[in-house]
Amino acid sequence: MSHDLAREIVQLDRLVGRRVGVLIDRLGRVEAVAVGDAKRVAVPREPSAPKGRERFSTLRWVYTREKDEALAPSDLTPIALHRLDAMAAIALGSEGEAGPVRVAHLLPADESVKAEPSAPQESRRESRDVVADGARYRLFPPRPAYELDDDFLDMIRALEKEFERRRSRTKVSGKAGRAILVHVTTGKRDAAEESLDELAELADSSDLAVVDRILQRRQSYDSRTWMGAGRLEELMVRATRLQADFIVADQDLTPAQARAIAEATALKVLDRSQLILDIFARRARTHEGKIQVELAQLKYLLPRLMTRGDSGLSRLEGGIGGRGPGEQKLEVDRRRVRDRIRNLEKMLDAERTRREQRRSRRRERDVPVVSLVGYTNAGKSTLLNVLTKSEVFVEHRMFATLDPSSRRLRLPRERDVVINDTVGFIRDLPKDLVAAFRATLEEIEGSDLLVHLVDASHPNHPQQIAAVVGILTDLGYHEIPRLTVLNKIDLVPEEERASLARGHGALAISATTRLGLDSLLRKIDALLPARPRALAAVTSAP
């Protein structure tokens, strides 16, 4: 900014009696001029979308203000909201001349890795990024316009390199993008923190790198933006500094709230249900699993479908949260979506009939059925593999198992049983997902015994137990005999194992080290009703 430009802007301000501002590109050309009121002038530009951008908007904002005083946070916010290269505020002199100029530009956020101190070393997540916010802006001391001799282009290029360096340093290989997790609560902070921890695990399972976590307590939820205007503005600033790609809400948003946040931040917005649906879409391998996921996706998206070409929809869908069998159906009209839903429901009814036929054959053979149930990532598939010498897919991630498996198991008293590995449960499981997976969950209904597997090493395992029991009750399976089993007991200090098992009235085992498996088999054998051993072999169901 030259001294002549500063003088001309101030003269325009005096002439019209209103504050004046200009947007200037990196070649020194004036792109836009704005005139405000007697106190302030706003930047005449919509926020630039930060996704996929490693540079700023290439524009600086120069404007007049009534007197020289320190730049307040509200004065500096437009730098981040509009991705400005820099901002210069010119004070009006007492005699109509250009007074001191205050210059500011954005600084990248400092990111630090934070591991869960209560979790065992083996289970700590590698990417648990939390922002240590620090200074948000670099503020230069006030100077006369003729002393502004900084090499601006060199400064902004160095700043862009620093943003990119920090992005590269914290970017996890193979991640689909950088996400900010947001939780708004009207209740206790501790419960909200636990929910955010779980959301971080879900984000990791969906290949998102978490770069920030925001928790806000409010008297009530904002009907339009969910979190309120002030916190939304703060979110926009942090998203710019952290070069985030996604906003992930820990609750389910209404379509209007999701659109409002997407339009304000120019980022893709996901809520908890959408993130879970995305994980299920990744995990579905069988034909039935893909049908169930697509049905759940379409039921979730139906009220969110807008007219073609709507920019809010493009930010809400596609990529994370819109992946899987239903991806090509996101922008079709409502009638075609409803038709597709009806067709999928008919296909699921056919699958339900086939499953019922298989269960009928088992009942005819008088073979008891045991189902492994529990919270996601409790180790159900690992236990099934160890007990039956199978090779069901296992991964230390949430919802690694989506398609249920059934295997034959020989108990100590020389009788055969069928043991089912079922999909893991989670708190606030989307209703559409539960409805879509009803045919799969009916495998639990015909069980003679439920083995409720619990990750004993998880710090929130009591809440997980309560969540699983609540889901089983909602599904009407609470009257089936249930055996509680604490898994991963080898990750619990030895002196705490006995008291932990007694406190839950449970068996303690470790599927990976085979600790306590003999006791588990004897207990299952004792709890099952006395039946003659099946003479025919039990065919494994997919």
Side-chain angles (χ1 to χ4, degrees):
M1 183 185 68
S2 67
H3 178 63
D4 291 340
L5 177 62
R7 184 175 63 248
E8 185 172 351
I9 294 175
V10 170
Q11 288 174 354
L12 285 172
D13 181 295
R14 294 296 189 187
L15 181 63
V16 300
R18 296 168 181 264
R19 305 290 84 87
V20 176
V22 294
L23 279 172
I24 308 171
D25 67 15
R26 294 186 182 181
L27 297 178
R29 297 174 300 199
V30 175
E31 183 182 272
V33 179
V35 178
D37 55 26
K39 293 187 176 295
R40 59 180 59 87
V41 58
V43 180
R45 185 180 177 86
E46 291 296 319
S48 300
K51 184 182 184 310
R53 297 195 56 174
E54 299 170 1
R55 302 180 61 191
F56 293 95
S57 66
T58 72
L59 297 171
R60 70 200 85 166
W61 172 239
V62 181
Y63 70 103
T64 58
R65 59 199 320 225
E66 189 174 3
K67 57 183 178 180
D68 179 40
E69 56 187 7
L71 294 171
S74 58
D75 299 322
L76 296 166
T77 298
I79 301 178
L81 299 188
H82 304 287
R83 294 192 61 87
L84 298 172
D85 285 357
M87 168 189 290
I90 309 171
L92 301 178
S94 57
E95 299 180 3
E97 78 283 5
V101 180
R102 292 181 181 264
V103 177
H105 66 71
L106 192 69
L107 289 176
D110 294 326
E111 298 177 22
S112 57
V113 176
K114 175 185 174 184
E116 259 186 72
S118 58
Q121 184 67 34
E122 294 82 1
S123 64
R124 292 182 183 176
R125 291 181 292 277
E126 295 180 359
S127 177
R128 176 66 74 88
D129 295 340
V130 180
V131 169
D133 200 44
R136 296 185 175 189
Y137 307 93
R138 180 185 180 190
L139 305 178
F140 292 84
R143 290 173 290 173
Y146 58 80
E147 290 186 6
L148 295 178
D149 55 356
D150 306 284
D151 188 337
F152 174 75
L153 290 179
D154 184 63
M155 179 193 74
I156 194 63
R157 287 174 184 141
L159 187 62
E160 287 179 336
K161 287 181 180 179
E162 177 63 14
F163 267 85
E164 174 55 24
R165 185 182 69 83
R166 297 202 179 197
R167 179 182 175 91
S168 300
R169 186 185 66 190
T170 59
K171 185 176 181 181
V172 180
S173 177
K175 293 296 182 180
R178 296 159 65 86
I180 296 178
L181 310 184
V182 184
H183 184 102
V184 180
T185 182
T186 57
K188 295 182 179 180
R189 187 178 185 88
D190 289 345
E193 289 284 4
E194 292 174 3
S195 185
L196 268 177
D197 287 341
E198 188 170 87
L199 186 67
E201 291 186 51
L202 288 169
D204 180 67
S205 294
S206 199
D207 286 337
L208 289 176
V210 177
V211 295
D212 197 4
R213 294 158 52 127
I214 296 177
L215 193 157
Q216 182 189 25
R217 294 184 64 190
R218 292 175 56 89
Q219 294 290 336
S220 60
Y221 298 109
D222 188 286
S223 59
R224 181 179 176 274
T225 59
W226 177 55
M227 64 186 72
R231 187 51 62 95
L232 178 59
E233 187 174 273
E234 178 187 342
L235 175 62
M236 295 159 68
V237 173
R238 297 175 88 163
T240 299
R241 298 180 67 212
L242 289 160
Q243 298 172 289
D245 305 302
F246 296 89
I247 305 297
V248 183
D250 198 18
Q251 289 103 326
D252 287 345
L253 302 176
T254 66
Q257 288 171 339
R259 283 195 297 272
I261 298 173
E263 290 168 359
T265 61
L267 299 177
K268 289 184 178 179
V269 178
L270 311 175
D271 60 22
R272 184 183 179 89
S273 291
Q274 200 171 1
L275 193 61
I276 293 174
L277 286 171
D278 175 77
I279 296 171
F280 271 64
R282 286 169 171 262
R283 300 290 188 263
R285 290 178 175 84
T286 65
H287 177 64
E288 182 182 6
K290 292 177 181 179
I291 292 174
Q292 292 173 123
V293 170
E294 183 178 357
L295 179 60
Q297 283 181 324
L298 292 180
K299 286 186 173 181
Y300 173 86
L301 292 172
L302 182 59
R304 293 164 172 80
L305 288 175
M306 303 294 291
T307 58
R308 293 183 184 275
D310 178 72
S311 59
L313 177 66
S314 65
R315 295 188 188 117
L316 286 170
E317 318 303 348
I320 296 289
R323 182 185 293 104
E327 183 175 7
Q328 295 180 351
K329 306 299 180 183
L330 299 180
E331 295 183 3
V332 300
D333 57 72
R334 292 174 182 271
R335 179 183 59 79
R336 293 184 61 191
V337 171
R338 290 192 180 100
D339 289 344
R340 180 61 176 165
I341 287 175
R342 283 193 291 269
N343 291 335
L344 291 172
E345 287 175 340
K346 290 179 182 178
M347 295 167 70
L348 276 184
D349 286 340
E351 291 290 339
R352 182 179 288 110
T353 301
R354 283 191 285 271
R355 283 185 176 276
E356 178 57 33
Q357 290 173 348
R358 289 195 292 266
R359 287 194 293 268
S360 297
R361 288 196 295 269
R362 290 172 188 165
R363 286 192 292 268
E364 290 173 359
R365 296 169 181 168
D366 208 18
V367 181
V369 177
V370 177
S371 291
L372 302 177
V373 299
Y375 215 75
T376 178
N377 206 27
K380 298 182 293 298
S381 298
T382 301
L383 180 60
L384 179 73
N385 286 340
V386 172
L387 291 178
T388 64
K389 298 180 180 179
S390 303
E391 295 182 356
V392 173
F393 177 76
V394 173
E395 188 177 6
H396 185 62
R397 278 193 173 189
M398 304 185 84
F399 299 115
T401 299
L402 179 57
D403 301 306
S405 302
S406 298
R407 297 292 186 268
R408 182 177 62 182
L409 175 64
R410 180 65 60 89
L411 293 178
R413 288 192 293 178
E414 293 298 317
R415 63 168 170 171
D416 293 326
V417 299
V418 170
I419 184 166
N420 294 325
D421 180 20
T422 62
V423 63
F425 296 150
I426 194 171
R427 288 180 294 182
D428 303 321
L429 197 64
K431 293 181 180 179
D432 290 334
L433 199 58
V434 174
F437 277 72
R438 174 66 66 173
T440 299
L441 294 173
E442 285 177 357
E443 289 286 351
I444 301 175
E445 185 178 8
S447 302
D448 298 283
L449 176 68
L450 301 182
V451 175
H452 179 184
L453 210 62
V454 180
D455 181 357
S457 67
H458 198 286
N460 298 327
H461 72 267
Q463 292 86 345
Q464 293 182 352
I465 292 175
V468 172
V469 172
I471 293 172
L472 290 173
T473 301
D474 292 340
L475 293 171
Y477 303 151
H478 56 287
E479 295 183 354
I480 301 176
R482 186 168 65 249
L483 171 64
T484 303
V485 178
L486 299 181
N487 190 26
K488 306 182 185 181
I489 200 68
D490 55 311
L491 302 180
V492 177
E494 191 169 354
E495 62 274 12
E496 299 177 12
R497 298 176 184 177
S499 61
L500 190 63
R502 284 195 303 270
H504 293 290
L507 287 177
I509 70 165
S510 170
T512 55
T513 65
R514 304 185 68 88
L515 176 67
L517 294 190
D518 292 338
S519 298
L520 173 62
L521 291 176
R522 287 194 297 269
K523 188 68 174 178
I524 292 174
D525 205 354
L527 290 175
L528 286 173
R531 292 181 176 182
R533 185 178 61 181
L535 300 178
V538 180
T539 303
S540 297

